[in-house]
Amino acid sequence: MSEIRGGGSSMRCWRVRRPGPIDGGPLDPERAPVPEPAPGELTVRVLACGVCRTDLHVAEGDLPVRRTGVVPGHEVVGEVVAIGQGAEVAGFGVGDRVGVAWLRHTCGQCKFCLRGAENLCPYSAYTGWDADGGYAEFACVPAAYALRLPAGYTDADTAPLLCAGIIGYRALLRASVPSGGRLGIYGFGGSAHIAAQVAAARGAEVHVMTRDPAARELATALGAASVQGAADPPPVLLDSAILFAPVGDLVPPALAALDRGGILALAGIHLSDIPALNYQRHLFQEREIRSVTANTRADAREFLAFAGEHRIHLTTHGYSLDMADRALADLAHGRFAGAAVLLP
Ligand SMILES: [Zn+2]
Ligand SMILES: [Zn+2]
């Protein structure tokens, strides 16, 4: 491997030591050796790392532990500082700016991988869950899963594109918004505020339902056709809807707001229980519910290309790496609108 320029032998990072409520302090700040790239991997210096709700689910134990003491963080903007052996790293050089996102391994051989649905691969692995992520000064990524980044965005603005943006994009695809159609967005955090702009750029009329006053203001500023409370009916029937809030209680009102043939996509990796549905009120007339599970690398590349061609306005809140626990607590308690980003 090549030398790590300017790095020390150890680095600062945060590890999930006691999965549980965020106010109980599930993460510890620690020092760890700077990770060396295994064959096929890159080591990056973390320039920015987004704070995603999934990190909160990992920290709070909503997701089962897959790696004890994992370093969370899967929206990493990094600069390549070391390159492992092997053919997979061809095309990457020290100094390259790359993205490290949630998906970091698939088998390439199962029926899902073979039909272009690697997001469903049973052997998949994820950054900040199965492997250490970006709540750290350095991180490793398999070169085959490192993403080329769009120009024209700061590091802080690029970070939320890497999960909030990509997952929001896949949710939009899953919601099959018809051309010129009406899209309802339930919950308006990091992912939603990006997806709303992508949908609008593609000609959709966007209606936003959220309980948070700051998020309602942001939705209005970003040009939403209407903005109302979390479970309020929108002023028009919707062709498609996306539930970003991890709240199963919002599924019935979101289905009730759909027009005939409408589709509701559930964007979260974790959702509280969905209450009983009424067939006539919630599903008949060919309304559909679709879950969204991770993303393929093709989704990521498509979305990042879109971001390079269109100006997406990011609302971010910067925290120093030392404040990662505070950033997660602020996310849990809805203390900011938009997306939090850790900066070194
Ligand atoms: Zn597979
Ligand atoms: Zn995420």
Side-chain angles (χ1 to χ4, degrees):
M1 65 175 266
S2 37
E3 290 289 310
I4 291 181
R5 298 172 311 153
S9 56
S10 78
M11 64 171 189
R12 291 175 296 145
C13 65
W14 288 85
R15 293 190 181 277
V16 178
R17 290 299 183 193
R18 294 164 302 281
I22 194 67
D23 293 327
L27 281 76
D28 283 341
E30 296 184 13
R31 292 204 74 88
V34 171
E36 296 198 7
E41 287 189 347
L42 313 170
T43 296
V44 302
R45 178 197 316 283
V46 178
L47 304 174
C49 181
V51 175
C52 173
R53 185 164 292 278
T54 298
D55 304 337
L56 194 58
H57 293 314
V58 169
E60 297 202 312
D62 297 325
L63 295 179
V65 174
R66 302 249 293 230
R67 171 176 165 78
T68 303
V70 72
V71 176
H74 55 273
E75 296 182 301
V76 179
V77 178
E79 178 196 1
V80 176
V81 293
I83 297 177
Q85 307 287 328
E88 303 92 330
V89 302
F92 289 97
V94 168
D96 285 0
R97 189 167 168 266
V98 300
V100 185
W102 178 237
L103 185 72
R104 71 183 288 119
H105 172 77
T106 56
C107 78
Q109 291 166 2
C110 71
K111 65 179 181 182
F112 305 105
C113 284
L114 291 176
R115 74 177 194 221
E118 66 180 0
N119 61 307
L120 301 179
C121 177
Y123 311 104
S124 55
Y126 301 94
T127 306
W129 191 22
D130 297 284
D132 287 343
Y135 285 29
E137 292 178 286
F138 295 87
C140 280
V141 60
Y145 292 80
L147 297 168
R148 300 290 184 183
L149 297 172
Y153 294 88
T154 63
D155 295 334
D157 281 357
T158 304
L161 300 178
L162 290 168
C163 178
I166 293 168
I167 295 294
Y169 183 77
R170 183 164 182 93
L172 268 177
L173 300 180
R174 293 285 291 158
S176 297
V177 191
S179 173
R182 294 162 171 167
L183 171 70
I185 290 183
Y186 290 80
F188 203 73
S191 195
H193 95 291
I194 299 172
Q197 296 176 64
V198 177
R202 293 181 155 188
E205 181 183 302
V206 177
H207 298 267
V208 173
M209 276 58 69
T210 177
R211 64 180 179 180
D212 177 48
R216 283 206 285 269
E217 239 170 73
L218 178 58
T220 304
L222 290 173
S226 81
V227 182
Q228 39 268 309
D232 293 347
V236 292
L237 287 175
L238 306 168
D239 299 304
S240 302
I242 304 173
L243 177 59
F244 284 104
V247 181
D249 284 333
L250 292 175
V251 170
L255 287 169
L258 289 178
D259 206 345
R260 295 171 173 225
I263 295 168
L264 170 63
L266 308 177
I269 190 171
H270 175 81
L271 187 68
S272 58
D273 285 349
I274 300 171
L277 299 175
N278 176 277
Y279 186 61
Q280 294 297 330
R281 211 177 321 134
H282 299 128
L283 290 169
F284 193 57
Q285 301 295 358
E286 303 201 343
R287 285 168 290 174
E288 288 178 45
I289 304 180
R290 294 180 181 173
S291 66
V292 178
T293 300
N295 62 274
T296 65
R297 280 171 286 178
D299 295 329
R301 291 184 195 118
E302 245 178 72
F303 168 69
L304 293 172
F306 183 94
E309 289 156 15
H310 298 75
R311 178 55 35 198
I312 296 175
H313 298 280
L314 283 303
T315 298
T316 63
H317 297 263
Y319 293 80
S320 68
L321 176 59
D322 295 333
M323 301 278 282
D325 53 347
R326 175 61 191 269
L328 278 171
D330 287 353
L331 173 65
H333 297 297
R335 294 193 188 113
F336 57 79
V341 178
L342 304 180
L343 298 163

